[in-house]
Amino acid sequence: MSRHPRQRYEAICEASPDAIVLVDFDGRITYANARVTDLFGYEPAELVGEPVEILVPEAARDQHIAKRDAYIDAPEIRPMGADLDLSGRRKDGSAVPIDITLSPIETDGQREFMAAIRDISEQEALQTKYRTILEAVPDAVIVADAATGEIIEVNDHVTDLVGYDPEELLGRPQTILHPTGAEDRYRELFDEHIASENRILGQLPDGSDLYVETKTGRHVPVEINAHVFELRERRLIAGVFRDVTTRKEYGRQLRTLHAATRELMDATDCEEIARLVADAARTILGYEHNVVRLLADETRLQPVAVTEKAETEMGDRPDYPITGPAPVSRAYDNGDSLRYDDVRSLDDGYDRGEARSAMYLPLGEYGVISIVDPAVGAFDESDEELASILSLNAEIALKRILYQRDLERQNERLDEFASVLAHDLRNPLNVAQGLLDTARGADTSEELDEIETVLDRMAGIVDDVLTMVRSGYDVDDVEALEFASIVDVCWDAVATGTASVRVESNGFLYADSSRIRNLFENLFRNAVDHAGEGVTVTAGVFEGGFYVADDGPGIPPAERDRVLEPGWTTDEDGTGLGLNIVREIAGAHEWDVSVTASPTGGARFDFTGVRTTVSDGPFDG
């Protein structure tokens, strides 16, 4: 046979990226390509004639000879040492991780054996890094073959999650972790992970939670972060499984807390709030022994709401003073929450029955909630955080109730005050006005004019105060009102003397008819009082608003932001309430009001954010 086949093999071998050696039946090297120098440090000529074991670590040489002879007796194309960590020996004695593929060949009529040797140092480093990361991850990690779903590696945290030892899972299909009966749905999810390569999942496509099934058949909610990668020419998928049981429970607690807060804000008395708080501590935190105490007689904290178990297992709960060594008293007095792993450590003379763990949370200046449990160390930071939110919401609800009570009492006093104004002040004013009219028949002195001015002033104060006290500023019914008509009615209700009003553009505005009259009457009265009885007032509707202006002296720019505030007036006899009433009525309608100069230099009040309809053509009124 010619030498061409051998030369052809050698040419192919020299072009290979791997180190290649040919070995005869005696196990001696007959050829080595140039790549062996890069991998082992030998020149090819140095290896020819040497036993192949020169490239094998000394500790493995005897074993290698036996395996080499066995291969020569039954040669085939296959990897050497499948699933084993192989290493070669360099010329300097150092070891290098390698993969070897063996195959028999015929050259020049003789059988030889070819070993293709590949340096896998980088892959080994990558695998070492991968294994280090695998063990460092605080969650369960499962690595599976992307094609078959076979589990090939897991970390120790898998045992904590599903109860299997790592060895029990290796080689098993990843469906072993799927809830029984849902394998197909989860397999589809697995395939989607592979298709998307990187994806975090916490739910199935229909929105239901994602679970793993433990060795005992329990279902644990999880979030999975899956990552597809290549390792040693194998496509793998690594899934990081995070137990979200605590997160799900915390979410449930928050939703229950929000619902309880809504009920607290709808409560109508302090006793109802106390009952809701005691029950919420049970449904949110899962603790059954709860007592809510509220301040009584300004000196003691009295039980108002006691859960059933607290009552049956702990007996009648005592009052506590607002100061003292007991934790209820201290929590109230200091305004700080207290938590005990075991209340038996307290030496304050109070019997707490079988209670061990305890939390005491102040409800501001209104009371204290006590949450106890028969287990030692039952409460954690999450419990304390949620209980603190509950106590704060209860404090706000109690404050609202007591504020409403105070407000009701104030309103009652204001109603009484309004009655005094209406009766005890108006009657004397009417009598004085009648006497003044009688006196004018016989006397026209200036003193009588001054008296009339004072009486008018007093009547104006009574009207302004009655408007605030009796009517308030709330808007009851909004209706469409013709602008010119309401202007005329209000103008006629004000003592305007020789002053005049002109509607420049008519239309409709939507407002409370009672409140809008108060607004216009105060604007008109302000114009006459500050611009004189000869003032001309103009008013009109525009898209989204209306205005009232006069041709008086106007309001200085520096004062325009203040004119609507209570007490502002340029008249020493003014109340300073009229324009403030205008602002409050506008605010009750959710309108904006601004003060500018009219075209003639007087004052102009613009109201915007108003629902209006402008009439076509000029107003002929």
Side-chain angles (χ1 to χ4, degrees), residues 460 463-465 467-468 473 490 494 515-530 548 575-583 585 605:
D463 289 340
D464 287 345
V465 173
T467 297
M468 290 190 297
Y473 307 116
C490 295
V494 176
R515 299 295 174 265
I516 200 66
R517 289 188 60 169
N518 295 141
L519 182 145
F520 278 119
E521 287 172 8
N522 276 284
L523 285 173
F524 296 156
R525 190 177 295 115
N526 177 74
V528 173
D529 289 345
H530 291 85
V548 175
T575 66
L577 297 175
L579 291 182
N580 177 250
I581 291 173
V582 169
R583 184 185 70 176
I585 293 173
F605 296 84

Side-chain angles (χ1 to χ4, degrees), residues 12 53 174 202 223 362 421 439:
I12 294 172
E53 282 73 29
Q174 45 87 22
E223 178 183 84
L421 284 177

Side-chain angles (χ1 to χ4, degrees), residues 265-564:
M265 297 309 161
D266 291 337
T268 57
D269 57 55
C270 295
E271 290 72 20
E272 182 182 0
I273 289 175
R275 290 192 298 272
L276 289 170
V277 170
D279 188 61
R282 178 182 60 81
T283 57
I284 295 169
L285 301 175
Y287 299 110
E288 303 281 350
H289 306 77
N290 311 316
V291 180
V292 177
R293 292 177 172 85
L294 298 181
L295 182 65
D297 303 331
E298 301 297 326
T299 61
R300 59 193 175 91
L301 296 162
Q302 182 181 45
V304 174
V306 182
T307 56
E308 182 179 353
K309 280 203 171 183
E311 186 172 3
T312 57
E313 297 180 13
M314 299 171 63
D316 293 337
R317 305 317 302 144
D319 292 0
Y320 285 98
I322 61 174
T323 60
V328 169
S329 304
R330 288 167 49 212
Y332 179 81
D333 190 28
N334 299 329
D336 297 324
S337 299
L338 300 174
R339 188 174 109 193
Y340 296 91
D341 288 336
D342 193 341
V343 292
R344 289 177 297 182
S345 62
L346 295 170
D347 186 17
D348 56 5
Y350 288 95
D351 179 18
R352 297 179 176 84
E354 298 300 315
R356 297 295 179 264
S357 301
M359 288 192 293
Y360 303 94
L361 303 105
L363 306 176
E365 60 185 289
Y366 311 110
V368 173
I369 176 173
S370 305
I371 304 173
V372 301
D373 192 78
V376 174
F379 304 128
D380 57 22
E381 296 296 330
S382 175
D383 291 329
E384 188 169 6
E385 178 184 356
L386 289 169
S388 295
I389 296 173
L390 176 62
S391 66
L392 178 60
N393 291 342
E395 178 186 350
I396 294 171
L398 288 165
K399 185 175 183 178
R400 177 185 59 83
I401 290 291
L402 295 175
Y403 172 77
Q404 288 177 341
R405 288 182 181 176
D406 289 342
L407 189 61
E408 289 171 1
R409 286 193 289 269
Q410 290 178 15
N411 287 338
E412 290 173 1
R413 289 195 294 269
L414 285 173
D415 285 340
E416 293 174 1
F417 177 61
S419 296
V420 170
L421 284 177
H423 183 270
D424 295 351
L425 291 182
R426 280 191 183 278
N427 285 348
L429 284 174
N430 291 336
V431 172
Q433 186 65 51
L435 293 173
L436 178 62
D437 292 341
T438 300
R440 280 193 181 280
D443 190 348
T444 59
S445 64
E446 293 183 359
E447 286 81 2
L448 293 180
D449 292 337
E450 293 178 6
I451 293 173
E452 184 173 20
T453 299
V454 172
L455 292 176
D456 289 343
R457 171 73 188 125
M458 293 179 67
I461 293 174
V462 172
D463 289 340
D464 287 345
V465 173
L466 283 176
T467 297
M468 290 190 297
V469 173
R470 282 184 164 173
S471 302
Y473 307 116
D474 292 340
V475 172
D476 295 326
D477 296 314
V478 173
E479 57 184 306
L481 305 171
E482 187 188 19
F483 186 76
S485 296
I486 197 71
V487 167
D488 287 343
V489 170
C490 295
W491 183 261
D492 291 341
V494 176
T496 55
T498 59
S500 62
V501 65
R502 184 175 70 254
V503 175
E504 296 180 327
S505 57
N506 194 21
F508 288 87
L509 75 157
Y510 291 79
D512 183 303
S513 59
S514 175
R515 299 295 174 265
I516 200 66
R517 289 188 60 169
N518 295 141
L519 182 145
F520 278 119
E521 287 172 8
N522 276 284
L523 285 173
F524 296 156
R525 190 177 295 115
N526 177 74
V528 173
D529 289 345
H530 291 85
E533 293 189 358
V535 69
T536 297
V537 175
T538 56
V541 179
F542 55 84
E543 194 67 40
F546 64 92
Y547 67 89
V548 175
D550 63 55
D551 59 358
I555 300 171
E559 299 292 326
R560 290 173 186 166
D561 291 337
R562 297 182 52 241
V563 297
L564 301 175

Side-chain angles (χ1 to χ4, degrees), residues 105-176:
I105 62 172
E106 295 284 340
T107 59
D108 297 333
Q110 296 182 355
R111 172 166 286 190
E112 293 181 295
F113 307 95
M114 182 174 71
I117 309 165
R118 176 169 297 176
D119 182 354
I120 60 169
S121 298
E122 291 185 2
Q123 293 185 35
E124 283 292 316
L126 179 62
Q127 177 127 349
T128 299
K129 181 179 179 181
Y130 150 71
R131 286 175 177 163
T132 301
I133 295 174
L134 192 69
E135 294 305 323
V137 173
D139 299 308
V141 180
I142 298 172
V143 181
D145 187 293
T148 66
E150 176 191 351
I151 297 173
I152 64 170
E153 196 155 10
V154 300
N155 67 358
D156 291 338
H157 293 295
V158 167
T159 303
D160 300 330
L161 179 65
V162 294
Y164 289 100
D165 290 331
E167 294 75 16
E168 295 181 271
L169 293 175
L170 297 180
R172 303 286 296 277
Q174 45 87 22
T175 52
I176 190 176

Side-chain angles (χ1 to χ4, degrees), residues 178-237:
H178 298 167
T180 302
E183 292 85 355
D184 291 342
R185 297 177 68 196
Y186 278 71
R187 178 65 205 191
E188 290 177 6
L189 201 65
F190 179 79
D191 293 338
E192 288 179 11
H193 269 77
I194 296 171
S196 61
E197 294 194 353
N198 295 290
R199 193 174 177 188
I200 297 177
L201 277 184
Q203 292 181 323
L204 290 166
D206 62 2
S208 57
D209 289 335
L210 200 60
Y211 294 93
V212 292
E213 186 171 282
T214 69
K215 188 176 181 177
T216 59
R218 186 169 60 91
H219 290 182
V220 178
V222 292
E223 178 183 84
I224 303 175
N225 187 347
H227 176 67
V228 178
F229 64 103
E230 301 283 341
L231 185 65
R232 292 189 177 182
E233 300 182 353
R234 191 177 187 184
R235 196 166 186 233
L236 305 176
I237 180 169

Side-chain angles (χ1 to χ4, degrees), residues 56-67:
V56 177
E58 292 184 3
R61 285 178 180 175
D62 291 342
Q63 185 180 14
H64 183 269
I65 292 173
K67 290 184 176 180

